[in-house]
Amino acid sequence: MMRGKLSGCKNIAPTSSIRHNGRMGRPKNFSREGVLEKALPAFWKHGFADTSLQELEKATGVNKSGLYAEFADKGDLYLESLRHYLRKRQQEELLTTEPLGWKNIERFLKLGPCSLEGQKGCFSVDSMNQFALLPPAAQEIVEKSRTLLKELIAKNVEAETSAMKPTVLAEMILTFFTGISMEQHLKVSKATMNRKVDDFMKVIRKL
């Protein structure tokens, strides 16, 4: 008799499992995509370390138990917000338009550091400011994203005539992109940013 009782209990989640308990409750009244849409601006504004659970609850309209039923912890929510951002941005498309060349790079520099979800700059670049504090999986995503951008930039450089190695120029261009993405947080006009890109492109084309 005791064996039967134990057997019947073996599939019950431990009481310490917040994630499982949340899923065993009433059906959720929010979408995962909707939570990511609202969590992203909060992380973008405060950064990973300084975004509190209370701020995430307020931003998403979902309480702690609901969030932890969908995401393992704050690190997991940040990771998925980063993935959500990278899916939405258009930077890769700007660098793959045919024909490849300087025009793609210029568009990338002018349109890549865009305002998304009411924020300025590039969320991936902003994540680098607190890189050591990010979950390892988020660090890996940021690194892979920058590697991809550098490869795409190099392909556009290869399509043009340049005395300098495409990979070296790509690194310079990506560094410039990082800088102007950060400057988006300052009160710099769009015309001023475009002028900086135009001046930079004049130099790059000569290398």
Side-chain angles (χ1 to χ4, degrees):
M1 188 70 178
M2 181 63 69
R3 179 181 299 176
K5 289 183 178 181
L6 290 175
S7 176
C9 293
K10 67 180 180 180
N11 292 324
I12 297 177
T15 55
S16 60
S17 176
I18 298 176
R19 187 166 190 164
H20 290 151
N21 286 346
R23 288 179 175 172
M24 290 173 65
R26 58 187 178 182
K28 64 182 182 182
N29 57 358
F30 61 88
S31 70
R32 183 182 181 87
E33 190 80 1
V35 169
L36 296 177
E37 285 278 347
K38 295 174 181 177
L40 176 57
F43 281 128
W44 205 330
K45 180 179 180 179
H46 303 289
F48 171 68
D50 294 331
T51 303
S52 66
L53 179 58
Q54 290 72 27
E55 286 166 332
L56 289 170
E57 288 179 305
K58 181 179 180 181
T60 62
V62 180
N63 60 26
K64 176 181 177 180
S65 61
L67 290 175
Y68 281 1
E70 190 70 24
F71 305 95
D73 50 29
K74 188 177 80 167
D76 185 37
L77 178 53
Y78 185 91
L79 175 64
E80 293 305 318
S81 296
L82 178 60
R83 284 175 172 156
H84 175 74
Y85 168 76
L86 293 176
R87 285 195 299 269
K88 292 188 65 174
R89 74 178 188 180
Q90 303 295 313
Q91 293 172 353
E92 288 84 356
E93 293 179 14
L94 293 171
L95 291 168
T96 55
T97 302
E98 296 289 345
L100 301 181
W102 295 129
K103 288 185 178 180
N104 277 0
I105 293 175
E106 182 178 340
R107 283 196 298 267
F108 164 70
L109 293 175
K110 289 183 176 180
L111 302 177
C114 63
S115 176
L116 184 64
E117 311 297 345
Q119 302 299 316
K120 298 289 186 179
C122 172
F123 183 56
S124 182
V125 169
D126 285 0
S127 297
M128 293 169 59
N129 286 334
Q130 49 185 340
F131 196 74
L133 302 176
L134 299 182
Q139 294 178 356
E140 183 178 355
I141 287 178
V142 171
E143 289 177 339
K144 286 183 176 180
S145 173
R146 288 184 67 80
T147 298
L148 173 61
L149 287 178
K150 186 166 69 174
E151 290 174 352
L152 292 176
I153 292 171
K155 288 181 179 179
N156 281 274
V157 174
E158 286 175 357
E160 302 285 357
T161 302
S162 176
M164 189 173 289
K165 289 181 60 176
T167 53
V168 174
L169 268 179
E171 289 179 353
M172 293 173 58
I173 294 167
L174 188 56
T175 298
F176 180 81
F177 168 78
T178 301
I180 60 174
S181 293
M182 295 302 297
E183 282 194 26
Q184 292 284 327
H185 295 283
L186 305 176
K187 292 182 179 180
V188 182
S189 69
K190 184 67 174 177
T192 298
M193 297 301 293
N194 286 343
R195 177 184 56 76
K196 290 183 179 183
V197 172
D198 290 338
D199 291 342
F200 178 75
M201 290 304 302
K202 289 177 183 178
V203 175
I204 288 295
R205 283 186 169 100
K206 296 177 181 178
L207 299 178

